[in-house]
Structure formats: structure tokens, C-alpha cells
Amino acid sequence: MKIYKEKIDFKSTTQLEFVDLTDRVEDIVERSGIRQGQVLVFAQHTTLGIVINHNESMLLQDFMRVLYKFAPVDDQYSHDLFELRRDKKADGRSNGHSHCKALVTGVSETVPIEKGRMILSDIQSIFAVEFDGARKRDVVVQVTGE
Amino acid sequence: MKIYKEKIDFKSTTQLEFVDLTDRVEDIVERSGIRQGQVLVFAQHTTLGIVINHNESMLLQDFMRVLYKFAPVDDQYSHDLFELRRDKKADGRSNGHSHCKALVTGVSETVPIEKGRMILSDIQSIFAVEFDGARKRDVVVQVTGE
Amino acid sequence: MKIYKEKIDFKSTTQLEFVDLTDRVEDIVERSGIRQGQVLVFAQHTTLGIVINHNESMLLQDFMRVLYKFAPVDDQYSHDLFELRRDKKADGRSNGHSHCKALVTGVSETVPIEKGRMILSDIQSIFAVEFDGARKRDVVVQVTGE
């Protein structure tokens, strides 16, 4: 059993953004030398999601709209009432809505690998979904198998 | 470490449908000969989800209703404005809502295996959730372990 | 390849509750002796979710509010019409809303392990999310790697 890890660094440019990481994950799978197994894409963040879907620019607008409806940025979030929070690590960002969105997308995806490549269909892309940009971000890519 | 893969083929019969794959996944786990490890159920699709919950026919109606509320089929989706899309691979289906639903369910689930069987409770079923049927579909089942 | 499993038992105290399992999962990873690999946290339940996010008490209130909006406890759910259900295993709990919430959070999370520890950021916690408490619950923790 072989385990190989790399990080992907990127910079989001807007508050809500779908960043397509498919090619960079594919490169890491290739560098791992692993022919059969799995790749885990994991975000060490609480306002960034990892999802797999179709990279079609107008569809991405639809995703943003339904996620907005689920947790509108212009609602009131207790998390944003800094005066009342006892949490030492508050970073002063009004990002209650961002955490809520990340709750439903999840922070990881696992993709099977066969013959050295991810088993993804032509229209599947792996996205990091920025819910609280613009920011520098990184994502862990761990390949396991043989 | 052993890795075993099969595909499950099925045909959905309605637009929104919960297809219970538990028995077929269980059979694959048995055929794999793997006694201890994990099984990854992965959909190579962008309008099909994989979830684990209770297969109770009236509950499935509830699931459909809350997913409808999340992304109503009768809303307007930019993805469905074919005249404006520059995407070469458009298949002409008005399925913006289907992609949105798949975004929150995710396209995979991983279940632990012990003594040759999945560790599922009696009322847990593994579903492929069709968001854009009726269609022929397939799902990848990858068993890893020893 | 090494595989190690333990269960975490806990008791939820309210209907909707975020139970932070991070320290107990970390202890299991340590006891496993696995230095490099993954840990899968899996709930054998249909009204309990597993998520990773920030353990900040006021944010947890926000999570509860958006999940309430997604599947309000005071809506009508077909699952709760016991007179009409043919399901032998009905437990008589009016928990249609609980199942619906579990549908979007999912029942598992996978976290990479490096140098014997989970790769989590300082503000990431692993939660079991109780959607139908108070109850006794357990969660499977499976560590794989070497």
C-alpha cells in the first residue's frame, strides 16, 4: 500500500466562487505513481467546500443562487454578533452564512483511481467552493493504493 | 491490500427517484472476498446523488418534497437558457434543478466493512438518487481492504 | 496495510444537538498506532449526521436555524402519518424532519492522517449531529493506513 500527499494552493478572487481543481488533482494522481486506488480531496477549512459537478458557467450561477437561498448573506447570523461571542479565535469576518453553506457541501470528496487515472466522467469536475473569499486557500490531496 | 471494482447498471423510471442499491452493493462486497476494509459507492454523473438513509416509501416522498423546495423544478435556471450557453456538451435537457440537488447530496458514500459485510444498521439503505430521469445509469462500486 | 476500529458511545441531550467528537476520534487514531492513512467516521443511523466545521456556540445556533428552514419540524411529513405506513419497523417517532436533515449532512466524513495525527485545522471539529434526540447513540471510527 502506497500513500502520497500534496497540497494545492490557490487564491480565490470573489466572495462566492467555484474553483476547478480537476487538472491539478489529476497531475498529483499521476505524480503519485499509484495505478489503482483512491484520491481524497480534503479542505482544512470551515468556509470552503469540496464538490463534484459540471463546470458550466451558467450552471455555476444557479448553484450560487440556490446556496444563497439556503443561507442568504443578508440574513442575521448569531456567529456575526462579535460583541456576544466568547470565542477567542474570532477573525472578525461576518461569515456565518459561509459556514452554513460549507455544512451542506462537505469538506471532502473521494474519487476511485483505475489505470493511473481518476474515474470521472467527461463533464465531472472537482471544485473547491469558496464561501468567504477572496483569500489564499489550500487543499490536501491524498492518494492511496498501489 | 486488495482492490476490487464492479459497476452496477440500472434504469431509473421517473424524473426524481430513489433507487435502493443496498443488496447489489452487498453482493459485490461478498464477491470481492474482502473481509475487512471499505466500500466506496461512486456515481460518475452530475445529476445523480448517492445517499444513505431509511427506505420507507412515505419518507421518500418527504425527501422529494424538501429537495423540491431546495431547488424547485419550476424555477428558472440559467443552465437551461440554451441560447446563451457556450458549453459544447449541452445535452438539451432542462436539468439545472437536477444539478443543484446533486450538489447537496454528493456523488459518493463510503461504508466500513467488517467480517465480509458492510457495517450498516437494519434500516440503512444505500440509494442512488435520480434527479434527471428516466435514464440508464451506472454506479462504480470499489471495495478496498484485505 | 493496517485496519483498526472502535466505536464511540454518547448520549444526546436535546432534539437537535451538535456533539463534538474530535478529541475522542483523535484518541482512537493514536491508539490505532497508524502513522499515515485515513480515518472514517461513520454513523449507523438515519437521523444522525457527521459533519466537520467550527465549534463556536453561536454558529451552532445558525446551523440549527438554516437546517430548520430546510426541513422545519412543524411541517407535515408523510413519514409521520403512522396510520398509513406499511413499514414494520416504524418506531413511532415523528421524525420525518430528522431524516430530511440527515440527508443533506451525510452520515460520514473521512480525514487524512499524517505523522499519527488527523490533518485538521485548529478550528475544524468533527461533529455528530443529533437530529432526533435525546438518545443513546454510537459512531463507528475506522482507521486505515500503516
Side-chain angles (χ1 to χ4, degrees):
Chain A
M1 186 198 191
K2 201 170 154 182
I3 301 172
Y4 180 86
K5 197 201 81 172
E6 280 194 39
K7 275 198 180 182
I8 294 177
D9 296 299
F10 63 94
K11 202 181 169 321
S12 61
T13 58
T14 59
Q15 188 191 47
L16 183 45
E17 184 177 352
F18 282 73
V19 181
D20 192 327
L21 302 179
T22 317
D23 290 346
R24 297 181 68 179
V25 177
E26 191 69 61
D27 289 346
I28 293 171
V29 170
E30 200 176 322
R31 275 196 292 277
S32 75
I34 288 169
R35 302 287 300 164
Q36 211 185 3
Q38 291 175 357
V39 56
L40 169 65
V41 182
F42 183 87
Q44 283 177 287
H45 300 286
T46 56
T47 56
L48 186 85
I50 304 290
V51 300
I52 296 177
N53 211 296
H54 185 18
N55 189 356
E56 192 274 299
S57 58
M58 294 179 70
L59 180 62
L60 301 184
Q61 300 294 324
D62 293 323
F63 289 158
M64 291 179 197
R65 188 174 53 81
V66 297
L67 289 168
Y68 166 80
K69 276 204 310 173
F70 178 76
V73 62
D74 44 359
D75 260 10
Q76 290 207 317
Y77 294 86
S78 303
H79 183 60
D80 300 340
L81 300 169
F82 304 116
E83 298 82 355
L84 305 182
R85 278 172 56 183
R86 285 158 299 180
D87 172 20
K88 297 277 173 46
K89 284 168 190 155
D91 58 1
R93 298 177 78 110
S94 292
N95 61 5
H97 73 100
S98 317
H99 288 280
C100 291
K101 285 163 185 154
L103 195 71
V104 290
T105 57
V107 294
S108 75
E109 289 288 346
T110 300
V111 183
I113 295 169
E114 200 172 46
K115 296 179 186 165
R117 290 182 63 85
M118 288 187 285
I119 303 184
L120 288 176
S121 78
D122 286 352
I123 67 162
Q124 279 186 310
S125 284
I126 303 169
F127 291 101
V129 193
E130 174 63 81
F131 294 122
D132 186 32
R135 287 207 204 185
K136 283 189 186 172
R137 296 287 201 177
D138 54 27
V139 161
V140 173
V141 180
Q142 189 193 41
V143 194
T144 55
E146 48 197 28
Chain B
M1 187 197 188
K2 202 169 153 183
I3 301 173
Y4 181 85
K5 197 201 80 172
E6 280 194 40
K7 275 197 181 183
I8 293 176
D9 296 300
F10 63 95
K11 201 180 169 324
S12 61
T13 57
T14 58
Q15 189 191 47
L16 183 47
E17 184 178 352
F18 281 73
V19 182
D20 192 327
L21 303 178
T22 317
D23 290 345
R24 297 181 68 180
V25 177
E26 192 69 59
D27 289 347
I28 293 171
V29 169
E30 199 176 321
R31 278 197 290 280
S32 76
I34 288 169
R35 302 287 300 164
Q36 212 186 3
Q38 291 176 357
V39 56
L40 170 66
V41 181
F42 182 87
Q44 283 178 288
H45 301 286
T46 56
T47 56
L48 187 84
I50 304 290
V51 300
I52 295 177
N53 212 296
H54 185 17
N55 189 356
E56 192 275 299
S57 58
M58 294 179 69
L59 180 61
L60 301 185
Q61 300 294 324
D62 293 323
F63 289 158
M64 290 180 196
R65 186 173 54 82
V66 297
L67 289 168
Y68 166 81
K69 276 203 312 173
F70 178 75
V73 62
D74 44 358
D75 260 10
Q76 290 207 317
Y77 294 86
S78 304
H79 183 61
D80 300 340
L81 300 170
F82 303 116
E83 299 83 354
L84 304 183
R85 278 172 56 182
R86 285 158 299 180
D87 174 21
K88 298 276 172 47
K89 285 167 190 156
D91 58 4
R93 298 177 79 108
S94 292
N95 60 7
H97 73 100
S98 317
H99 288 280
C100 291
K101 285 162 185 153
L103 196 70
V104 290
T105 57
V107 294
S108 75
E109 288 289 346
T110 300
V111 182
I113 295 168
E114 199 173 46
K115 297 178 186 166
R117 291 181 62 87
M118 288 188 285
I119 302 184
L120 287 177
S121 78
D122 286 352
I123 66 163
Q124 279 186 310
S125 285
I126 303 169
F127 292 101
V129 194
E130 174 63 83
F131 295 121
D132 186 32
R135 288 207 203 188
K136 283 188 186 171
R137 296 288 202 176
D138 55 25
V139 161
V140 174
V141 180
Q142 189 193 41
V143 194
T144 55
E146 48 195 28
Chain C
M1 189 197 188
K2 201 170 155 183
I3 301 173
Y4 180 86
K5 196 201 81 171
E6 280 193 40
K7 276 198 181 182
I8 294 177
D9 296 300
F10 62 94
K11 201 180 171 322
S12 61
T13 57
T14 59
Q15 188 190 48
L16 182 45
E17 183 177 354
F18 282 73
V19 181
D20 192 328
L21 303 179
T22 317
D23 290 345
R24 297 181 67 179
V25 177
E26 192 70 60
D27 288 348
I28 293 171
V29 170
E30 200 176 321
R31 277 197 290 278
S32 76
I34 287 170
R35 302 287 300 164
Q36 211 184 4
Q38 291 176 358
V39 56
L40 169 65
V41 182
F42 182 88
Q44 281 177 288
H45 301 286
T46 56
T47 55
L48 187 85
I50 303 290
V51 301
I52 295 176
N53 212 295
H54 186 16
N55 189 356
E56 191 276 299
S57 58
M58 294 179 71
L59 180 61
L60 301 184
Q61 300 294 325
D62 293 324
F63 289 158
M64 291 180 195
R65 187 173 54 82
V66 297
L67 289 168
Y68 165 80
K69 277 203 311 172
F70 178 76
V73 63
D74 44 359
D75 260 10
Q76 291 207 316
Y77 294 86
S78 304
H79 183 60
D80 300 340
L81 300 169
F82 304 116
E83 298 83 355
L84 305 182
R85 279 172 55 182
R86 286 159 299 181
D87 174 21
K88 298 273 174 46
K89 285 168 190 153
D91 56 3
R93 298 177 77 108
S94 291
N95 60 6
H97 73 100
S98 317
H99 289 280
C100 291
K101 285 164 185 152
L103 196 70
V104 290
T105 57
V107 294
S108 74
E109 289 289 345
T110 300
V111 183
I113 294 169
E114 200 173 45
K115 297 179 186 165
R117 291 181 62 85
M118 289 189 284
I119 302 184
L120 287 176
S121 78
D122 286 351
I123 66 163
Q124 279 186 310
S125 284
I126 303 170
F127 291 101
V129 193
E130 173 64 81
F131 293 122
D132 186 31
R135 288 208 205 188
K136 282 188 186 175
R137 297 286 203 177
D138 55 25
V139 161
V140 174
V141 180
Q142 190 193 41
V143 194
T144 56
E146 49 196 27

